[in-house]
Amino acid sequence: MTTLVLTAHGSADPRSAANARAVAGRVARMRPGLDVRLAFCELNTPGLGDVLSEVRTAVVTPLLLANAYHARIDIPRQIAVAGACRYVRQAPVLGESDRLVAVLRQRVTQLGVSRADDSLGVLVAAIGSSDAAANARTARVAAKLLSGTRWAAATTAFATRPEPSLAEAVENLRRRGARRVVVAPWFLAPGLLPDRVRRFADSAGIEMAAPLGAHRLVAETVLSRFDEVAVQRVAA
């Protein structure tokens, strides 16, 4: 049996690890009989190498939104260090999946926002990366978020990058006709960076939606990424 090793970033904030466990539990319930293990790149246990030492064949499925450092460098390095390259493959990150954008749109409407509100501007707040290509892909979320709505505008700002700042992004939305602005966090879980974004939102008098969390569509996206690679393995 091929094991799905759901691999999260890891965080000093226990809410992040709790959410990863909730996603892993949901994935397991949605696919009875599938061996689902949770691992972390850093800061939490079990580590990825420890989990890989316990399985025969596996697909490491990143619980990550962006194809940045951890997906491109850290996870492959940890697989290699574990000596697992011959029996382990790595799935793509969750990325800008339509499922996840649908969850983000739902989180915004849970603030009491109508999809027909043409006065609304949405600031998509994301982590950001030193990889410009990864940031460019994340920036696509804002445009996708507007689909099926009459919202005035959406834009992206990165909590860990200097430009544009969150405040500059809000001003950009207002110049584009938004009379009300809300923050849509492109984060999987609460944590230190989402808290930083929330402090900005509170200081600016702006509402902020909940993160994606352990929503059913997050788990579906995990399984979809796993299946892409598991099917290839069978075909090979």
Side-chain angles (χ1 to χ4, degrees):
M1 177 187 294
T2 299
T3 299
L4 189 162
V5 181
L6 184 67
T7 305
H9 179 291
S11 172
D13 190 312
R15 295 172 295 173
S16 179
N19 186 73
R21 293 186 186 98
V23 174
R26 188 153 204 167
V27 169
R29 291 191 299 275
M30 291 174 66
R31 187 71 63 86
L34 176 63
D35 182 19
V36 179
R37 309 283 184 99
L38 177 64
F40 296 92
C41 291
E42 58 185 11
L43 299 173
N44 301 113
T45 57
L48 178 56
D50 294 330
V51 173
L52 291 179
S53 70
E54 299 172 349
V55 300
R56 291 178 60 85
T57 60
V59 174
V60 172
T61 309
L63 187 61
L64 301 170
L65 294 175
N67 188 37
Y69 171 79
H70 284 287
R72 293 185 297 103
I73 298 172
D74 190 24
I75 290 176
R77 177 185 61 80
Q78 293 197 38
I79 292 172
V81 168
C85 295
R86 286 183 294 179
Y87 64 89
V88 171
R89 297 183 69 181
Q90 181 177 336
V93 297
L94 304 185
E96 305 75 50
S97 160
D98 289 343
R99 293 183 182 93
L100 300 188
V101 175
V103 176
L104 190 64
R105 193 180 300 115
Q106 179 181 324
R107 297 299 189 224
V108 172
T109 60
Q110 286 171 342
L111 294 173
V113 171
S114 167
R115 294 192 181 202
D117 185 354
D118 60 6
S119 71
L120 187 76
V122 183
L123 168 55
V124 177
I127 293 177
S129 168
S130 59
D131 184 332
N135 291 338
R137 287 190 292 272
T138 300
R140 298 173 188 167
V141 172
K144 295 176 73 171
L145 187 63
L146 295 178
S147 178
T149 77
R150 295 179 59 193
W151 296 340
T155 193
T156 303
F158 298 101
T160 57
R161 307 297 300 166
E163 296 179 357
S165 69
L166 297 171
E168 289 169 341
V170 170
E171 289 306 310
N172 172 271
L173 290 168
R174 288 177 173 150
R175 286 195 299 271
R176 292 164 63 186
R179 297 189 297 278
R180 176 189 179 189
V181 175
V182 299
V183 176
W186 188 242
F187 294 94
L188 285 163
L192 302 178
L193 283 175
D195 283 352
R196 182 193 301 176
V197 176
R198 183 168 292 281
R199 286 193 294 273
F200 163 78
D202 289 344
S203 68
I206 296 171
E207 290 182 278
M208 178 169 162
L212 303 178
H215 194 283
R216 173 182 56 82
L217 293 178
V218 174
E220 282 188 10
T221 307
V222 168
L223 285 168
S224 175
R225 297 294 183 260
F226 168 80
D227 287 341
E228 289 176 34
V229 175
V231 168
Q232 293 171 8
R233 177 180 291 277
V234 171

